[in-house]
Amino acid sequence: QKGDMLDFKLDGGLSAQTFEGVDYSEAKNSQFTEELLGIMDMGKRERRSVKYNENQLYMQQMKQQGRSQQKKKAKKEVKLPKMLRLPQLEDWQMFDRNALYALQEVEEEAFRALPEEVQIAAGGTKSSKANPETKKSEEEQPSNDDAPKDDVPKNKEENPTGDSSNPETAKEETEGPKTEINLDILPSMLLSEEQLAEKARLLAEGFADWSRHHYNAFVKASGKYGRLNYTKIANDVGKPVSAVRTYSEAFWDENFGKKRFAPNDYDRVVKLIEKGEKKIDDIKGIQRGTRVLISLFENPWVELQFTHVNMKDKKFTADEDRFLLCWAHKYGYGQWEAIKFAIRRSSHFRFNYFLKSLPIEAIGRRCEQLMRAAEKEVEAMEKQLIEEAEEEGRELPSGEIKLPMFKELQAKKRAEAEKRFLEERAVLEKNVSDIEKQIQQIQRALRDEDGVQTIDSFFRSNTDLSENMIAELANVIARARSPSMAVISDEFLSKFPGKGSKKAICSKIESIGVKEKRADEGDTAPLWYLRSENTHMLTKETKSYLERLDDKGKKRKAGDSGDDGEGKAAGAAGPGGEFVEFPEYDGEEEPNENKKAFTLFCKRTRREVKNSLSGAERKNKDHVNGILKDRWYALTEDEKHVWKEWEVWDAKRYEHQWDIYEEKRNRKTAKKAKNEASVEKGLSSIPKKKGAFSIPKKKK
C-alpha cells in the first residue's frame, strides 16, 4: 500500500505528525486534520451561465430609435436656403461679423414669415434647433414605451415610414402641385435695398479667399522680411503682390484690422512681427557698422584695427579677427558655413588647426561679436565727429555721416599729440627761463649787499607788506591767539612764503595787534589779539570762527564738561527733523570735508550695486558709476530732498569737527609757546660760576 506524506518518519524514528509529545496521527485527531485541509482547499471553480433575451433587447433598441427620430423631427426649424447663407467667417478674413450676423437674423425672420410652400420651393432646410412649443407638446404625449408590445410590429407593417395617416393620402400630398418661385427675387423679398447693399459692402470688405495657411505664412514672412517687403512676403504666401499689399494695409490699419481680430490675438501677432523686425534692424545695424569700418581702410585684410574687441581670452588673434570680419562683410550675416569653407581654402591659415577645426556655431558667434564691435566703434567715431562739429560751429550734411579714412584719423591724432607736446615744452622752457632770471637776481643781490645776512633775507622782500598781506596777517593774528609773536609770523610765512621778512612781519604784528590777558575770554596768560580799530580787515569766515569760539568759551566758563566737546551729545537735525548725532572725532587730524547729496547717495548705495553685479563687472568702475548715476536720476523729487537734508547735516558735522580741530591746534600751539618761554626763563635763572654751572652739594 502506498504511504501518505503525513506518515513520513525521520531516521531517528520520530514521526512528522508528532509535535511537543502529542501524536496527531490517531483517529481522534482526524477531525482536526479535516479542518486543517479544509482551510487550504479553495474549492472547485463554478461558471455562471448568462442568458440574453434577444427579443427584449431588440424591442428596447427599436423603441429608442423611434423616440430619437420623433424628437429630431419635432426639433427641426426652417433655415435659409444655401445660396443665401453666409460663408464661414474667420478672424483673419477680417469680416464685420457682428453686422453680417445681424443682417442674417433679419433675413431668417423674414424667410420664416413666408408661407410654407414658398419656403419648400426656395429650398429652405430645417435646423436642429428645438421649438419650445413642439418640445412641450412632445413631453405631454405618451411615449412608445406605454404602448402594447404587439402594436409595434403591426404599425411597422402598416406604415413603415412612421406616418400615422393613410399611405395613399400621403402619396397624393407628395405628388400634388408644387409652388414655383423665382429665386432671383427671393433676396429682395427678405431684405430691403439698403440692407442688401450693406450686406454686399460688408462681404466685399473681407478676404474670403485667404485661408489659415495664407494667414500663417503672411505672419511668418512679415516677421522674417519686414512688414513692407511685399515681394518676399508674396513669394512665401503664394499670392500676387497687389493682393498681399491690400491685405497688409488692411491688417495694419488700427481702425479696420485691429477691430476685426480678438484683442489678445492681434496684440500677440503684432508683437511677434515687431520682434522679427527688431532683429532685422539689429542685423542691418551691425552690417552697416561693418561696412563703414571696412571702408575706412585701403586694405582692410592687412590694416584693419579694432578698439572695442575683447582680447582677454586670447583664443583669437588680431590677424584671425581681421580675416573673420572681412569674410563676414564679403559673404553677409549668417553665411557662417561659407566662412568656414573660406578658412579651409585660405593659404594664410593652412597650419592653423584651431581655426580650421572650429564648428560653424563658434565661427558664427565670433563673427557676430566682431560685427557688433565694429558697429560700436563706428558709433563712437560718429559721436566724436558730431561733438567736434558742434564745438567748431559748423553743420554736418544731412543723411549718413561720412567718416574720414583711418590714415587721416591717425594723422590728426598725431598732430594733436605733437601740438600738446609743443605746448608743454613751451611752458617748461618759460619756467626754466623764469628760474634762471631769479637765480641771476639773487646772485646780483649777493654781490651788491654789504655785511653778513641770513640766506632767508635774499628770498624774501625787505619792503613793507602790501595791504592785502596786512589783511591776511590780521586774520592770522585773530585766529592764532598765541602768546608768541614768532609762532604767528611762522604760521603766516607757511601760508604765504616769500611775502616778507620775519622782522617786518613781527613789526607789523606790533602795530596792528596787542598782547593782553582777557579774563572774559577765559585767558590764563597774555595772548596776541587784533586791535579793535583793525577788525574791519577780518573776513566773514574769521568772524564766524571767532563767534563760535566765543560761544564755546562762554559755555566752558559756565561749567560745561569736556574740553573737546566730549560728554555732550553733539549732532544736528537730519531728514524728517530727527536728531542725528555726529560721529566721534578726536581732533588729531583734519576732518573729512562735507559731501554733496549725490556723493552721499553713491557712498550709501555703492555696496548694494556691487553685490548685484558679477565679479568682472564690479571691477569696471565706469559701469558701476553709470548704474549709480542712472539710479540717482530715477529718484523722485521727494527722495532727492531726503539726500539734500543729509547734505545739510553733513555740512554741520564738518563745521562742528573743524571747530574741535582748530581749538585743539590752538591749544597745542599755545602750550608749545608757553613751554618754550618757560625753558628760556629757567635757563636764564640758573646761576653761573666761573663759566660753569654750579651743582649743589648733597645734604647729609
Side-chain angles (χ1 to χ4, degrees):
Q1 187 180 359
K2 200 172 189 178
D4 195 358
M5 189 68 183
L6 295 175
D7 295 335
F8 175 77
K9 293 183 180 181
L10 300 176
D11 294 340
L14 296 177
S15 175
Q17 299 185 28
T18 303
F19 178 71
E20 294 183 354
V22 180
D23 188 5
Y24 291 93
S25 62
E26 298 178 359
K28 62 180 180 180
N29 296 323
S30 59
Q31 185 180 358
F32 174 77
T33 305
E34 292 177 359
E35 291 179 358
L36 180 63
L37 295 175
I39 294 173
M40 300 175 62
D41 188 9
M42 300 298 294
K44 186 178 180 181
R45 181 179 178 183
E46 297 180 0
R47 294 183 179 272
R48 295 182 182 180
S49 61
V50 181
K51 297 180 180 180
Y52 296 97
N53 191 346
E54 297 179 357
N55 295 330
Q56 187 178 2
L57 180 63
Y58 174 74
M59 295 296 294
Q60 290 177 359
Q61 290 178 354
M62 294 301 295
K63 286 180 182 180
Q64 292 177 359
Q65 290 179 1
R67 188 183 298 116
S68 62
Q69 291 176 1
Q70 289 179 2
K71 286 183 180 180
K72 287 181 181 178
K73 290 181 180 178
K75 288 182 179 179
K76 285 187 177 179
E77 292 184 359
V78 178
K79 289 178 63 177
L80 284 173
K82 191 173 183 180
M83 65 176 182
L84 297 179
R85 294 180 208 160
L86 291 174
Q88 188 174 1
L89 307 179
E90 302 292 347
D91 287 349
W92 62 82
Q93 294 175 344
M94 289 186 282
F95 287 104
D96 192 354
R97 292 186 290 180
N98 296 331
L100 287 172
Y101 289 152
L103 287 174
Q104 189 175 21
E105 289 179 1
V106 174
E107 200 169 1
E108 286 179 353
E109 291 177 0
F111 186 75
R112 293 192 193 101
L114 295 175
E116 187 176 356
E117 296 82 5
V118 177
Q119 295 178 7
I120 297 172
T125 58
K126 295 182 179 181
S127 65
S128 60
K129 293 182 180 179
N131 192 358
E133 296 180 358
T134 308
K135 187 176 181 180
K136 185 176 180 181
S137 62
E138 284 180 357
E139 291 176 355
E140 292 176 357
Q141 292 179 359
S143 62
N144 294 334
D145 298 339
D146 300 334
K149 297 180 181 179
D150 298 337
D151 295 340
V152 177
K154 187 176 180 181
N155 290 341
K156 284 188 177 183
E157 292 174 0
E158 292 176 357
N159 189 6
T161 59
D163 192 359
S164 61
S165 61
N166 192 0
E168 295 179 359
T169 308
K171 186 176 181 182
E172 291 176 358
E173 290 178 0
T174 55
E175 294 178 355
K178 296 182 180 180
T179 305
E180 295 182 359
I181 186 171
N182 189 1
L183 298 179
D184 296 336
I185 65 172
L186 183 60
S188 61
M189 296 171 61
L190 303 178
L191 296 175
S192 62
E193 294 182 359
E194 296 179 356
Q195 291 175 339
L196 288 173
E198 180 68 15
K199 182 178 179 181
R201 186 186 66 81
L202 292 174
L203 289 173
E205 281 183 352
F207 299 87
D209 58 338
W210 279 70
S211 63
R212 181 182 291 274
H213 170 72
H214 295 144
Y215 173 68
N216 292 335
F218 170 78
V219 173
K220 291 180 180 179
S222 298
K224 185 177 180 181
Y225 306 116
R227 67 183 70 179
L228 299 178
N229 198 342
Y230 301 120
T231 305
K232 293 185 178 180
I233 295 174
N235 292 334
D236 287 6
V237 174
K239 284 185 174 293
V241 179
S242 58
V244 172
R245 186 190 301 272
T246 305
Y247 187 83
S248 178
E249 291 174 355
F251 178 81
W252 292 107
D253 189 359
E254 293 187 357
N255 297 326
F256 184 81
K258 189 174 182 179
K259 294 181 180 179
R260 302 300 165 86
F261 284 85
N264 296 334
D265 294 343
Y266 187 81
D267 294 340
R268 178 182 58 80
V269 172
V270 169
K271 287 181 180 179
L272 185 65
I273 296 174
E274 288 178 350
K275 183 179 179 181
E277 290 178 338
K278 185 178 179 182
K279 186 177 181 180
I280 293 171
D281 295 339
D282 191 13
I283 293 173
K284 288 181 179 178
I286 62 178
Q287 286 179 340
R288 174 191 168 274
T290 305
R291 173 177 54 81
V292 173
L293 182 64
I294 289 179
S295 65
L296 300 180
F297 299 89
E298 294 180 358
N299 187 5
W301 301 88
V302 179
E303 300 175 354
L304 185 62
Q305 296 182 9
F306 296 98
T307 305
H308 298 86
V309 179
N310 182 19
M311 301 294 291
K312 294 181 180 179
D313 51 4
K314 296 182 181 180
K315 291 182 180 179
F316 295 87
T317 62
D319 198 18
E320 294 170 350
D321 288 340
R322 189 185 304 114
F323 273 81
L324 286 176
L325 185 62
C326 291
W327 277 324
H329 172 64
K330 179 180 179 180
Y331 296 110
Y333 179 85
Q335 302 297 326
W336 315 133
E337 190 172 359
I339 296 175
K340 184 174 180 62
F341 286 133
I343 293 171
R344 291 182 177 180
R345 291 192 302 267
S346 176
S347 60
H348 195 78
F349 302 106
R350 179 176 298 174
F351 302 105
N352 192 338
Y353 297 105
F354 166 72
L355 196 61
K356 292 174 71 175
S357 63
L358 282 177
I360 297 175
E361 294 78 8
I363 294 174
R365 285 195 298 270
R366 187 59 179 180
C367 289
E368 186 174 356
Q369 184 181 2
L370 293 173
M371 294 176 78
R372 293 189 183 280
E375 181 187 16
K376 188 175 181 181
E377 193 158 353
V378 169
E379 289 177 355
M381 291 181 183
E382 291 177 349
K383 184 178 179 181
Q384 184 178 2
L385 191 63
I386 292 172
E387 291 177 354
E388 291 178 357
E390 290 178 354
E391 291 177 358
E392 295 175 2
R394 55 185 176 86
E395 296 183 358
L396 294 173
S398 59
E400 187 174 353
I401 300 174
K402 187 176 181 181
L403 296 173
M405 296 295 289
F406 184 76
K407 288 184 177 180
E408 297 176 3
L409 291 174
Q410 292 296 103
K412 187 177 179 181
K413 289 182 180 179
R414 285 195 297 268
E416 291 177 355
E418 187 176 359
K419 183 180 178 181
R420 288 195 299 269
F421 170 74
L422 293 175
E423 290 177 354
E424 293 177 358
R425 182 176 179 179
V427 172
L428 292 174
E429 289 178 353
K430 184 180 178 182
N431 293 337
V432 170
S433 62
D434 293 342
I435 293 172
E436 289 178 353
K437 290 179 181 179
Q438 292 179 4
I439 293 173
Q440 292 176 2
Q441 291 177 1
I442 293 171
Q443 291 175 352
R444 192 180 303 111
L446 288 172
R447 288 194 300 266
D448 296 341
E449 285 293 333
D450 295 331
V452 179
Q453 297 182 0
T454 60
I455 193 67
D456 292 342
S457 62
F458 295 102
F459 292 96
R460 301 191 184 100
S461 176
N462 292 327
T463 59
D464 199 359
L465 296 175
S466 61
E467 294 182 0
N468 294 335
M469 292 296 103
I470 293 173
E472 294 294 341
L473 180 61
N475 284 276
V476 172
I477 294 170
R479 282 178 172 269
R481 290 191 179 182
S482 174
S484 175
M485 189 186 297
V487 173
I488 297 173
S489 61
D490 290 341
E491 186 174 354
F492 177 79
L493 290 174
S494 63
K495 289 185 177 181
F496 308 99
K499 296 299 181 181
S501 62
K502 196 169 184 179
K503 185 176 180 181
I505 293 171
C506 292
S507 62
K508 187 58 66 177
I509 291 173
E510 292 179 350
S511 62
I512 64 175
V514 60
K515 188 175 183 181
E516 58 185 1
K517 179 181 178 181
R518 297 181 180 179
D520 54 349
E521 298 287 343
D523 297 341
T524 57
L527 303 176
W528 280 101
Y529 288 92
L530 192 66
R531 296 182 185 272
S532 57
E533 60 269 15
N534 297 324
T535 54
H536 64 278
M537 300 180 184
L538 300 178
T539 60
K540 292 182 179 180
E541 291 79 3
T542 305
K543 289 180 180 179
S544 61
Y545 169 75
L546 294 175
E547 290 176 359
R548 292 193 300 269
L549 203 62
D550 293 342
D551 293 340
K552 288 184 179 180
K554 291 178 182 179
K555 289 180 181 179
R556 190 163 53 251
K557 187 176 180 181
D560 289 343
S561 63
D563 294 337
D564 295 333
E566 297 176 2
K568 296 185 291 183
E578 185 179 356
F579 182 80
V580 181
E581 294 184 2
F582 295 139
E584 296 182 0
Y585 177 67
D586 55 0
E588 295 294 336
E589 298 179 355
E590 288 189 10
N592 296 327
E593 294 185 358
N594 55 318
K595 305 294 189 302
K596 297 292 184 181
F598 175 70
T599 308
L600 294 173
F601 170 78
C602 294
K603 189 176 180 181
R604 189 72 60 86
T605 320
R606 187 178 298 273
R607 183 179 295 276
E608 178 185 353
V609 171
K610 284 189 174 181
N611 291 335
S612 64
L613 299 176
S614 61
E617 291 177 341
R618 292 178 190 172
K619 298 179 181 178
N620 190 352
K621 294 183 179 179
D622 296 337
H623 181 60
V624 176
N625 294 336
I627 295 175
L628 292 172
K629 192 174 182 180
D630 294 340
R631 286 197 180 186
W632 172 257
Y633 286 129
L635 295 178
T636 61
E637 293 297 331
D638 296 337
E639 292 173 343
K640 287 183 179 179
H641 181 69
V642 173
W643 289 105
K644 289 179 181 178
E645 290 181 349
W646 277 116
E647 180 182 351
V648 175
W649 179 88
D650 194 52
K652 294 179 181 179
R653 185 270 313 162
Y654 175 71
E655 185 178 353
H656 170 73
Q657 293 181 353
W658 182 260
D659 293 343
I660 296 174
Y661 174 73
E662 284 284 334
E663 185 177 354
K664 198 160 190 177
R665 187 177 65 174
N666 292 335
R667 287 181 187 172
K668 288 182 178 179
T669 305
K671 188 175 181 181
K672 184 178 179 181
K674 186 176 180 181
N675 292 337
E676 290 178 355
S678 61
V679 169
E680 292 178 358
K681 185 177 180 181
L683 291 175
S684 60
S685 62
I686 295 175
K688 297 181 181 180
K689 182 178 181 182
K690 295 181 181 180
F693 294 109
S694 59
I695 300 175
K697 293 181 179 181
K698 186 176 181 181
K699 295 182 180 180
K700 293 182 181 180

